[in-house]
Amino acid sequence: MKKYVSCLCVIVCCVLTGSVAFANVITMTFEEFIGHDGEEIGAFYPGVHFEALSEGREDWIVSDVMNPTDPDGYNASSWPSGQEWGTGEYWIYDYVGAWTDYPGAGGKIVFDNGGAKYVELGYCCLTPLTLTAYDHNDNIIDTDTGPANLRYINDNESGPGTLGVDAPAGNVISYITIHDTGNYWIVDNITADSALEFTKVSDANSCVIPFDELTYTICWDNASPITFENAFIIDRLAAGIYYPGSD
């Protein structure tokens, strides 16, 4: 089932009403890994799996430039502060980025909950880096390639670059791959918009007074080709709102 509408009446103290759309935006900054340099990311973020690009390659790990496990540390710069470590070549946001370690040539990120409508990320690389989006049938549906953008070798004082892919109408991104020609890259601040969308609308046209009755209509749209069995929506009401029932 693609869409479901539920109506319910609530008694409120005072509410400014209107239409609200909820998009399940996933944001992965990797800053949660501070103090855990070199750890695999795996399924740390709900609904997302970081995997090796192919069998025998390296899994995704984090690089914590503040707390490196390697005595030699990292050659990185933090955006937007400009603070640097080592040669300072590789831009990341704040202090933690992600890559697939040597000798992996790239990585794969799988979106479990029906897929994504777009994916965007920050990157820094020595050779051109390609982001490719695939649907549930392993078809390529979008791709984006960014140029080399190291801080000093490429004279780049503008921080990480941006790569992004979008699903065409009627399709969703099942997974993405990231690769260059030599595994000299790092990515950071990955965002993705889930294929599930929600809308909540009330029948009032202005602020209501205490004990007025409102009818809210909640809709969802599943843009993915996956059917979710036994799915349900939880709508948490604010303090002071009473829920008498629904239709």
Side-chain angles (χ1 to χ4, degrees), residues 118-122 131 162-165 176 188-193:
Y118 78 85
V119 180
E120 185 176 279
L121 55 83
L131 171 65
T162 301
L163 293 175
V165 286
I176 61 170
D188 205 350
N189 284 22
I190 302 174
T191 59
D193 186 5

Side-chain angles (χ1 to χ4, degrees), residues 118-193:
Y118 78 85
V119 180
E120 185 176 279
L121 55 83
Y123 81 94
C124 193
C125 61
L126 175 64
T127 59
L129 186 67
T130 299
L131 171 65
T132 305
Y134 296 80
D135 65 13
H136 287 87
N137 295 315
D138 298 320
N139 298 310
I140 294 176
I141 55 177
D142 198 11
T143 187
D144 191 14
T145 299
N149 61 345
L150 297 184
R151 182 173 187 176
Y152 296 115
I153 291 177
N154 300 116
D155 194 22
N156 169 29
E157 290 295 332
S158 300
T162 301
L163 293 175
V165 286
D166 296 276
N171 208 343
V172 294
I173 300 170
S174 176
Y175 64 92
I176 61 170
T177 63
I178 299 169
H179 67 87
D180 64 355
T181 57
N183 204 45
Y184 298 105
W185 58 270
I186 192 165
V187 299
D188 205 350
N189 284 22
I190 302 174
T191 59
D193 186 5

Side-chain angles (χ1 to χ4, degrees), residues 55-157:
E55 187 175 354
R57 302 283 182 162
E58 297 290 329
D59 285 331
W60 286 82
I61 63 169
V62 294
S63 292
D64 176 0
V65 298
M66 294 281 288
N67 306 283
T69 55
D70 188 328
D72 293 333
Y74 291 104
N75 297 315
S77 288
S78 176
W79 182 262
S81 72
Q83 183 179 1
E84 65 180 73
W85 296 263
T87 64
E89 287 292 359
Y90 288 85
W91 283 110
I92 61 170
Y93 291 100
D94 299 317
Y95 303 112
V96 185
W99 63 311
T100 53
D101 202 359
Y102 184 84
K108 179 179 180 180
I109 304 175
V110 182
F111 300 95
D112 300 324
N113 295 331
K117 295 205 286 189
Y118 78 85
V119 180
E120 185 176 279
L121 55 83
Y123 81 94
C124 193
C125 61
L126 175 64
T127 59
L129 186 67
T130 299
L131 171 65
T132 305
Y134 296 80
D135 65 13
H136 287 87
N137 295 315
D138 298 320
N139 298 310
I140 294 176
I141 55 177
D142 198 11
T143 187
D144 191 14
T145 299
N149 61 345
L150 297 184
R151 182 173 187 176
Y152 296 115
I153 291 177
N154 300 116
D155 194 22
N156 169 29
E157 290 295 332

Side-chain angles (χ1 to χ4, degrees), residues 2 10 31 44-45 73 85-86 99 147 168 193 216-217 245:
K2 292 287 184 182
V10 297
E31 297 304 302
F44 178 85
Y45 294 99
W85 296 263
W99 63 311
D193 186 5
Y216 284 103
T217 301

